[in-house]
Amino acid sequence: MSSSPSNQTTTAGHSVTFTAAAAGNPTPTIQWQVSTNGGSSYANISGATSANYTIGSPTAAQNGYRYRAVFTNSLGTATTTAAILTVQFAPTITANPSSQTSTAGGSVTFTAAANGNPAPTVQWQVSTDGGLTYTNISGAISATLTLTGVTAGQSGYRYRAVFTNPLGTAITTAATLTVI
């Protein structure tokens, strides 16, 4: 074997090519394989039988897949080391916060989640005017936002999380705080 494929990083929707080569006599055939489970098992990729294997439009779901080439001739088989595909993508919301009710002086927790690669940062925001405008809450940069000692004056405030990475931003739906 003269060369194994290299790890590749791309943005979702942008093509990527893996390359491998092997020498042998008689000249070996090539078959590319993919692992979708971290290398535990591999499956042949239909039609992927040349030195270059191109994925035309990788998706976020393919992030972490492993690709390898198997070279075969009448004297045996040689398998390359696997290369990992890293697919970068903008954040997508996977969990929106739920509206919460509390008595005055009580505590509430809002939770949100998003996927993205690179991993997105989070910033919670509050709207005190029925959702017309939002402002960042200082220090509220984790997936959960806990408010303690809520007051009747906060009833009706709306809270949302903004997830950001270099490829984009995703904003949750707003959850409303009701103080009784």
Side-chain angles (χ1 to χ4, degrees), residues 159-173:
Y159 297 86
R160 69 183 188 184
V162 179
F163 291 89
T164 305
N165 74 10
L167 299 171
T169 297
I171 302 172
T172 65
T173 57

Side-chain angles (χ1 to χ4, degrees), residues 132-161:
L132 295 175
T133 62
Y134 284 85
T135 56
N136 290 344
I137 300 170
S138 179
I141 55 171
S142 71
T144 58
L145 171 66
T146 300
L147 305 174
T148 57
V150 296
T151 66
Q154 290 174 288
S155 192
Y157 282 12
R158 296 182 184 187
Y159 297 86
R160 69 183 188 184

Side-chain angles (χ1 to χ4, degrees), residues 37-159:
N37 57 14
S40 294
S41 62
Y42 285 84
N44 288 345
I45 302 168
S46 179
T49 57
S50 67
N52 297 319
Y53 174 62
T54 299
I55 304 170
S57 186
T59 65
Q62 291 171 292
N63 184 52
Y65 281 13
R66 295 169 188 255
Y67 296 86
R68 69 184 187 185
V70 179
F71 294 92
T72 306
N73 69 14
S74 59
L75 300 176
T77 299
T79 303
T80 66
T81 57
I84 299 171
L85 174 62
T86 300
V87 181
Q88 296 180 331
F89 54 96
T92 55
I93 302 300
T94 58
N96 285 295
S98 299
S99 294
Q100 302 291 321
T101 300
S102 175
T103 56
S107 298
V108 296
T109 299
F110 297 98
T111 302
N115 285 330
N117 189 22
T121 59
V122 62
Q123 173 63 64
W124 283 90
Q125 297 181 328
V126 61
S127 174
T128 60
D129 59 10
L132 295 175
T133 62
Y134 284 85
T135 56
N136 290 344
I137 300 170
S138 179
I141 55 171
S142 71
T144 58
L145 171 66
T146 300
L147 305 174
T148 57
V150 296
T151 66
Q154 290 174 288
S155 192
Y157 282 12
R158 296 182 184 187
Y159 297 86

